[in-house]
């Protein structure tokens, strides 16, 4: 009897192990025109790599200006970094299992309507979710028709168009080749025809420009007419993602990508001759007068390989900080790596890494180091070198990089930069300086 029971138990276990895993139900709907099948196929545990090329379901910017790229039930935040489940940030999106993935999304910008300003809207099938500061608003989700009357279900894309870009605060909705302009105040819908645009599978407004994503390419368009000007479409991985092993092939394409990329800089500096060097991911851009050059970091700084935290120029040398190490190169053609480096950052400058920025102003011998909101000074002629806290930056919670040049201190955050006459002025400033665009006003990109 015991033998029979034992055999029965073994048989039951073997059948259980052999049974196929149970997947959650797939609530898919019709594919987006011009793209891959628009199905909710990407379940928990899927390994997604945006650098391999993918058609995003929706793109939007959060209230801090960070772009969110949605794919299936996953989300990419910013221009690089690993994928995560979208319900980690927006748990309610997963509470309605009859709904698919995010079809469209936008962040409303409206100074005239505080009830909508900085609210994020997500569209799933026939429902709309409204979030404010990552919290779902009361009584949401609602039917799309209840919040945006005249707008169809199962959208392809959406993007906000605030005044003065549009005559009134407007949301542009895309479904196939149908375009709807929705007036946020009157609730009136105007149907448009954007003849020169491809069908958008995602759309978003970034740095005052409007982008239509189609497949893994994008086009910049006029929100009122849909007119696409310039050389489009372009490859999204060249401009909106930091992909180490992907890039255009020609020197001209390399330069344009680094000039016009929307990905934030890791480091920037200018040498004694006034030439600017900017570093982003695995690439760098150098500017000498009106001449531009771009290549991989490894091509000219092979010991460093890629991705620096900060770079500063002093006495004809580049000091390149990566994690807790300092690499030093003599400026020239080619740049010469100094023997004995890298050395520990703590030994060279008396501070632990990582640091956000480091710079030396012309004819000075003090390096200013920014870490978080604190700025420290190190006298490079002193022996031993001593770290001294100079002050606290109050106008910014964080910065990406900074440099010092003929125009003073340039602070870079995202695709914007701000100029200060000096470090003391930056620390004491009460009024924010003019916001300028890195890609256009610093690097001369024409779009």
């Amino acid at each position: 009897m015991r033998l029979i029971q034992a055999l029965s138990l073994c048989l039951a276990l073997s059948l259980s192990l052999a049974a196929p895993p149970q997947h959650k139900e797939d609530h898919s709907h019709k594919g987006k025109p011009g793209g891959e099948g628009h199905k909710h196929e990407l379940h928990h545990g899927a390994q997604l790599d945006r650098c391999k090329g993918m058609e995003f379901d929706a793109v939007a910017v959060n209230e801090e200006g960070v772009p969110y790229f949605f794919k299936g039930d996953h989300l990419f935040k910013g221009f690089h970094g690993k994928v995560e489940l979208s319900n980690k940030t927006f748990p309610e999106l997963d509470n309605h299992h009859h709904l698919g993935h995010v079809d469209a999304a936008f962040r409303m910008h409206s100074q005239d309507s505080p009830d909508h300003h900085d609210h994020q809207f997500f569209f799933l099938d026939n429902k709309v979710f409204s979030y404010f500061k990552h919290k779902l608003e009361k009584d949401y989700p609602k039917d799309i028709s209840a919040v945006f009357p005249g707008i169809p279900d199962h959208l392809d894309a959406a993007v906000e168009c605030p005044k003065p870009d549009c005559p009134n605060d407007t949301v542009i909705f895309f479904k196939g080749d149908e375009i709807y302009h929705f007036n946020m105040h009157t609730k009136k819908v105007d149907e448009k025809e954007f003849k020169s645009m491809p069908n958008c599978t995602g759309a978003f407004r970034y740095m005052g420009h409007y982008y239509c994503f189609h497949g893994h390419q994008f086009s910049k368009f006029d929100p009122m007419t849909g007119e696409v000007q310039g050389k489009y479409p372009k490859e999204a991985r060249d401009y909106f993602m930091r992909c180490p092993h992907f890039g255009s092939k020609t020197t001209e394409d390399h330069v344009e990508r680094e000039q016009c990329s929307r990905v934030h800089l890791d480091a920037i500096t200018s040498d004694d001759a006034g030439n600017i060097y900017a570093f982003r991911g695995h690439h760098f851009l150098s500017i000498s007068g009106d001449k531009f050059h771009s290549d991989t970091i490894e091509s000219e700084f092979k010991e460093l390989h890629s991705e620096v935290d900060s770079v500063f120029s002093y006495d004809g040398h580049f000091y390149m900080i990566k994690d807790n190490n300092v690499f030093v190169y003599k400026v020239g053609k080619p740049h010469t790596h100094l023997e004995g480096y890298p050395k520990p950052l703590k030994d060279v400058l008396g501070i632990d890494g990582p640091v956000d920025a480091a710079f030396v102003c012309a004819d000075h011998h003090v390096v200013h180091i920014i870490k978080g909101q604190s700025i420290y000074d190190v006298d490079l002629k002193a022996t031993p070198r001593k770290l001294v806290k100079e002050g606290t930056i109050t106008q910014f919670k964080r910065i990406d990089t900074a440099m010092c040049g003929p125009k003073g201190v340039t602070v870079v955050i995202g695709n914007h930069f701000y100029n200060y006459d000096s470090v003391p002025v930056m620390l004491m400033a009460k009024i924010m300086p003019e916001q300028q665009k890195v890609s256009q006003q610093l690097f001369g990109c024409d779009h």
Side-chain angles (χ1 to χ4, degrees):
M1 184 68 180
R2 289 180 180 176
L3 178 60
I4 293 173
Q5 289 176 334
L7 290 172
S8 298
L9 178 59
C10 290
L11 178 61
L13 285 172
S14 64
L15 290 172
S16 174
L17 291 172
Q22 296 297 312
H23 296 288
K24 78 175 185 179
E25 187 178 353
D26 180 5
H27 301 282
S28 60
H29 56 75
K30 186 178 179 181
K32 291 186 179 183
E36 62 191 28
H38 193 46
K39 296 182 178 180
H40 189 47
E41 298 169 339
L42 302 165
H43 301 299
H44 298 1
Q47 297 299 314
L48 300 179
D49 183 354
R50 53 180 155 181
C51 289
K52 292 181 178 178
M54 64 174 59
E55 177 183 287
F56 293 106
D57 297 323
V59 186
V61 179
N62 75 359
E63 64 273 13
E64 296 175 345
V66 177
Y68 283 1
F69 300 88
F70 291 87
K71 181 66 175 178
D73 53 7
H74 287 73
L75 168 64
F76 295 93
K77 292 181 178 179
F79 297 107
H80 66 101
K82 294 182 178 180
V83 68
E84 61 183 61
L85 291 169
S86 53
N87 63 11
K88 180 180 178 181
T89 303
F90 306 102
E92 297 84 1
L93 297 180
D94 207 35
N95 291 342
H96 303 265
H97 295 292
H98 64 287
L99 299 177
H101 58 276
V102 177
D103 295 324
F106 71 89
R107 174 183 68 95
M108 193 62 219
H109 181 88
S110 174
Q111 299 294 351
D112 295 338
S113 180
D115 292 340
H116 294 123
H117 183 63
D118 268 350
H119 288 231
Q120 288 179 285
F121 292 88
F122 301 105
F123 299 82
L124 287 77
D125 294 349
N126 64 335
K127 297 292 184 181
V128 57
F129 294 69
S130 177
Y131 285 84
F132 184 61
K133 295 183 177 179
H134 289 107
K135 291 185 178 179
L136 185 68
E137 291 195 273
K138 185 180 179 182
D139 298 328
Y140 279 88
K142 297 180 180 181
D143 289 342
I144 293 175
S145 59
V147 183
F148 299 94
I151 300 302
D153 300 336
H154 302 292
L155 293 162
D156 289 337
V159 62
E160 74 279 10
C161 183
K163 293 194 303 184
D165 295 357
C166 285
N168 299 288
D169 290 334
T170 300
V171 181
I172 306 172
F173 293 97
F174 302 81
K175 183 171 182 177
D177 55 5
E178 297 173 336
I179 314 296
Y180 305 86
H181 277 213
F182 183 89
N183 187 312
M184 288 295 291
H185 299 294
T186 66
K187 308 296 183 184
K188 181 183 176 183
V189 178
D190 290 327
E191 291 195 36
K192 301 280 187 176
E193 188 175 2
F194 287 177
K195 291 183 178 180
S196 64
M197 273 182 61
N199 292 339
C200 301
T201 56
F204 84 138
R205 176 178 179 266
Y206 187 69
M207 301 298 180
H209 296 292
Y210 293 81
Y211 301 97
C212 163
F213 285 79
H214 37 98
H216 49 79
Q217 295 183 312
F218 74 96
S219 297
K220 191 180 77 169
F221 68 96
D222 184 304
M224 289 299 297
T225 66
E227 185 177 1
V228 176
Q229 295 180 336
K231 296 188 296 182
Y232 290 98
K234 297 182 187 293
E235 170 59 64
R237 287 170 287 181
D238 267 339
Y239 296 87
F240 290 101
M241 291 152 220
R242 198 163 80 180
C243 299
H245 303 297
F246 180 85
S248 303
K249 303 302 181 185
T250 69
T251 300
E252 182 181 350
D253 288 339
H254 270 302
V255 169
E256 183 188 5
R257 181 191 63 219
E258 293 307 315
Q259 275 186 276
C260 303
S261 175
R262 277 62 174 173
V263 179
H264 69 80
L265 296 174
D266 295 326
I268 191 169
T269 190
S270 59
D271 62 20
D272 295 340
N275 303 315
I276 293 176
Y277 292 79
F279 300 83
R280 178 192 285 116
H282 291 245
H283 293 81
F284 77 94
L285 174 72
S286 64
I287 308 170
S288 178
D290 60 354
K291 295 181 179 179
F292 291 80
H293 172 71
S294 178
D295 210 329
T296 62
I297 293 175
E298 191 167 19
S299 68
E300 294 200 22
F301 307 95
K302 65 179 182 179
E303 294 81 6
L304 190 64
H305 298 299
S306 64
E307 296 190 83
V308 297
D309 293 332
S310 58
V311 178
F312 67 90
S313 304
Y314 174 68
D315 194 25
H317 292 80
F318 287 137
Y319 288 73
M320 310 180 80
I321 301 171
K322 181 173 182 175
D323 300 324
N324 281 297
N325 291 307
V326 178
F327 298 74
V328 179
Y329 290 83
K330 184 177 180 180
V331 178
K333 292 184 179 181
H335 306 300
T336 307
H337 183 244
L338 263 60
E339 188 176 350
Y341 287 89
K343 292 182 179 179
L345 176 61
K346 186 77 171 180
D347 293 349
V348 179
L349 298 176
I351 192 171
D352 291 316
V355 300
D356 298 315
F359 57 90
V360 176
C361 295
D363 301 324
H364 290 199
H365 50 83
V366 173
V367 57
H368 306 279
I369 303 171
I370 298 176
K371 184 173 183 176
Q373 289 183 283
S374 298
I375 184 165
Y376 303 89
D377 290 349
V378 177
D379 187 341
L380 294 173
K381 287 190 174 182
T383 304
R385 291 171 178 169
K386 184 179 179 182
L387 186 73
V388 178
K389 183 172 181 179
E390 182 172 358
T392 301
I393 301 170
T394 58
Q395 291 192 318
F396 308 108
K397 291 182 180 179
R398 51 163 291 281
I399 70 167
D400 288 319
T401 185
M403 69 174 178
C404 193
K407 295 183 179 180
V409 179
T410 299
V411 174
V412 181
I413 302 172
N415 193 38
H416 288 131
F417 69 95
Y418 308 83
N419 280 330
Y420 295 89
D421 290 339
S422 64
V423 173
V425 170
M426 179 176 68
L427 293 174
M428 295 186 296
K430 301 296 182 183
I431 301 175
M432 190 76 75
E434 179 186 2
Q435 185 185 77
Q436 302 180 71
K437 292 182 180 178
V438 172
S439 55
Q440 291 174 293
Q441 289 152 299
L442 192 60
F443 293 163
C445 177
D446 60 1
H447 63 275

